[in-house]
Amino acid sequence: MHVSTRDVDIGLLRKSKYVQSFCGDIFKKVYNELMSGYEVLFSGTPCQIAGLKSYLGKDYKNLITCDFLCHGVP
């Protein structure tokens, strides 16, 4: 059986846990940057992305979001 490098790398992620982050007033800062015309890349857990979008209340052309796989925080 052949195991690819990709399979081995993915195995290293097993049983890893994320540490819950403190978002503070980042949603407000993102909003201010968007209103100033800046392009914003926001990366976080799917629930953080959902929270940001809920806070903003509408889509913005200058906002890019990137969520990563999450299976819960401790």
Side-chain angles (χ1 to χ4, degrees):
M1 181 171 108
H2 173 46
V3 177
S4 73
T5 304
R6 181 175 178 210
D7 293 333
V8 173
D9 292 341
I10 290 173
L12 295 173
L13 296 174
R14 288 191 180 138
K15 299 184 181 181
S16 64
K17 288 286 184 182
Y18 303 109
V19 176
Q20 189 167 356
S21 61
F22 175 72
C23 292
D25 63 347
I26 193 64
F27 292 173
K28 182 178 180 180
K29 290 180 179 181
V30 168
Y31 174 78
N32 290 336
E33 295 295 306
L34 293 170
M35 292 295 95
S36 295
Y38 289 101
E39 290 186 341
V40 176
L41 169 62
F42 186 88
S43 175
T45 63
C47 58
Q48 289 171 331
I49 301 292
L52 173 64
K53 289 183 175 185
S54 177
Y55 176 85
L56 294 173
K58 68 174 193 170
D59 291 333
Y60 289 85
K61 286 185 176 184
N62 51 335
L63 174 64
I64 300 170
T65 58
C66 176
D67 60 343
F68 49 82
L69 293 175
C70 177
H71 60 287
V73 294

